[in-house]
Amino acid sequence: MTRKYNFSAGPAGLPSEVLLQAQEELLDWHGKGLSIMEMSHRSKEFVSVAEAAEQDLRDLMGIGSDYKVLFLQGGATSQFSMIPMNLLRGKTTADYINTGIWSKKAIQEASRYCDVRIAASSEGNGFTAVPSQSELELNAEAAYLHYTPNETIGGLEFDYVPQSGDVPLVADLSSTILSREIDVNQFGLIYAGAQKNIGPAGLTVVIVREDLLGDVVAGTPTMFDYKVHADAESMCNTPPTYGWYLAGLVFKWLKAQGGVAAIQAANQRKQEKLYAAIDASDFYANPMASANRSWMNVPFTLADDALDKLFLEQAEESGLLNLKGHRSVGGMRASIYNAVPEEAVDALIAFMQQFEKQHA
């Protein structure tokens, strides 16, 4: 079987090395005579896998002992509710920065639990640039400041980390986690759905500062209390064991590549050459402000959208999959997460140039 190049925004491609190892271990994990997905999550074998995965993630991101790392179910969308439930801590208001569809979804859900103040919005520029630090109207009494560093659908990315003073900073890193180095100490809470840069869908990672735990909104369900999960080491119920195992394999793969610094260098090369190809052409266009172009999700349009269908058909015939843009914005979108090799981007650029020659 020939593997094709997968540009899906999520669930996204996994490293081939990880898939091959999972395949090899599928029926008999380490000579135990059963699959790891059949094991008890409380067995010493699985606990060892879980502990190694957490430690590898801590190593990769430089996560200190004052942060809890949780492996949860429910997707990043469940965090839209869990964050206010856990972080309001007696306060009645929270600040949010609105930069696109995922920000809006987080705002809508948080509004069920508190007074949401929009600290800044990109709506005025059509969500093509993020607000600068000086444009943020922050409330010193807010329980937290929430932002979406990368809007997966629109391809809009922050080029800085907002400074929020003593107010905890909350970030939805679903599409950028592990793609470049960050200082975790700048954040009160980080959350990320796994299905882009971590592993398969069904797992969510939450990194939360320990002092923010333990004061939930009255009536919060037990399973929505971060402290319950932290105290039980993410095993207060049966966790998504196979997703956790695969995430651990991805973390080891990242370490083998040279860690986050090496992946960052590769990601920078990938996005730079793809945007350069778009900018060098009158046939393709990207609407985002240059400083706020996403490294992970590169949307682009054709000069004649009547050619969109043909572009996608011929791209798939050339082994380039899942390039259709989100239904809300149209056009094309190439998601170039960590597991997308540089040669995939080279193949996409070559196809784009050939298509332009034929149809410009």
Side-chain angles (χ1 to χ4, degrees):
M1 183 185 72
T2 301
R3 293 271 291 171
K4 297 182 178 181
Y5 294 130
N6 182 11
F7 296 95
S8 174
L14 289 164
S16 295
E17 298 94 325
V18 167
L19 293 174
L20 287 169
Q21 182 174 347
Q23 180 187 50
E24 182 180 342
E25 297 177 346
L26 183 62
L27 294 179
D28 183 6
W29 184 82
H30 293 203
K32 295 298 177 180
L34 76 167
S35 171
I36 197 161
M37 73 174 76
E38 301 171 296
M39 289 182 184
S40 166
H41 59 293
R42 302 195 186 281
S43 67
K44 62 181 176 57
E45 291 84 3
F46 184 78
V47 169
S48 69
V49 168
E51 290 176 345
E54 178 179 335
Q55 188 58 56
D56 285 339
L57 181 60
R58 286 182 178 275
D59 294 345
L60 285 163
M61 295 185 67
I63 302 170
S65 60
D66 53 336
Y67 285 82
K68 292 293 187 180
V69 177
L70 310 178
F71 293 85
L72 307 178
Q73 301 173 61
T77 303
S78 289
Q79 302 309 311
F80 297 163
S81 298
M82 291 179 73
I83 287 162
M85 285 178 174
N86 284 267
L87 297 195
L88 285 174
R89 295 174 298 138
K91 297 190 175 184
T92 59
T93 185
D95 284 353
Y96 279 70
I97 304 174
N98 178 18
T99 50
I101 290 174
W102 291 112
S103 299
K104 288 181 178 179
K105 288 180 180 291
I107 289 166
Q108 181 180 14
E109 195 64 22
S111 297
R112 295 160 56 90
Y113 304 96
C114 66
D115 175 25
V116 172
R117 292 181 65 260
I118 305 303
S121 176
S122 297
E123 197 159 7
N125 60 48
F127 298 106
T128 59
V130 305
S132 65
Q133 177 71 42
S134 63
E135 293 176 289
L136 304 184
E137 297 180 3
L138 302 177
N139 175 14
E141 298 304 314
Y144 57 88
L145 170 65
H146 177 284
Y147 83 118
T148 307
N150 180 66
E151 289 282 357
T152 312
I153 291 172
L156 180 68
E157 183 175 286
F158 274 78
D159 58 333
Y160 70 98
V161 175
Q163 301 301 300
S164 56
D166 294 330
V167 175
L169 182 62
V170 175
D172 178 357
L173 281 187
S174 292
S175 51
T176 55
I177 193 168
L178 296 168
S179 66
R180 73 210 72 185
E181 294 182 306
I182 63 167
D183 179 4
V184 172
N185 295 312
Q186 293 180 282
F187 301 89
L189 185 146
I190 290 167
Y191 65 103
Q195 66 273 16
K196 303 178 189 298
N197 269 331
I198 294 176
L203 176 72
T204 303
V205 172
V206 174
I207 303 164
V208 56
R209 209 171 64 215
E210 195 166 3
D211 65 290
L212 299 177
L213 300 175
D215 187 6
V216 296
V217 169
T220 294
T222 299
M223 292 301 294
F224 271 33
D225 186 335
Y226 290 138
K227 190 173 189 304
V228 169
H229 291 286
D231 289 347
E233 297 181 331
S234 301
M235 291 193 188
C236 57
N237 70 330
T238 305
T241 56
Y242 200 66
W244 199 338
Y245 153 77
L246 282 170
L249 295 187
V250 171
F251 299 154
K252 291 190 183 303
W253 174 82
L254 282 166
K255 281 187 164 183
Q257 306 311 301
V260 177
I263 288 294
Q264 176 173 333
N267 286 333
Q268 187 162 7
R269 291 193 303 272
K270 291 189 297 186
Q271 61 91 16
E272 283 179 350
K273 64 173 62 176
L274 183 50
Y275 283 119
I278 292 169
D279 291 343
S281 165
D282 293 327
F283 190 76
Y284 302 105
N286 171 274
M288 299 299 150
S290 58
N292 300 133
R293 286 173 158 180
S294 171
W295 282 28
M296 297 285 97
N297 311 103
V298 181
F300 58 95
T301 56
L302 278 60
D304 181 1
D305 59 13
L307 291 170
D308 285 3
K309 183 179 179 181
L310 182 62
F311 180 95
L312 291 168
E313 289 173 351
Q314 293 188 357
E316 185 162 347
E317 290 169 1
S318 300
L320 309 171
L321 306 182
N322 297 310
L323 285 165
K324 186 176 182 179
H326 191 271
R327 60 186 180 277
S328 64
V329 295
M332 310 299 159
R333 176 177 52 172
S335 293
I336 49 176
Y337 300 121
N338 289 348
V340 177
E342 194 165 352
E343 57 264 29
V345 177
D346 294 336
L348 173 58
I349 291 170
F351 170 78
M352 290 169 65
Q353 292 171 340
Q354 182 61 32
F355 190 87
E356 180 178 1
K357 286 180 183 179
Q358 293 173 346
H359 301 284

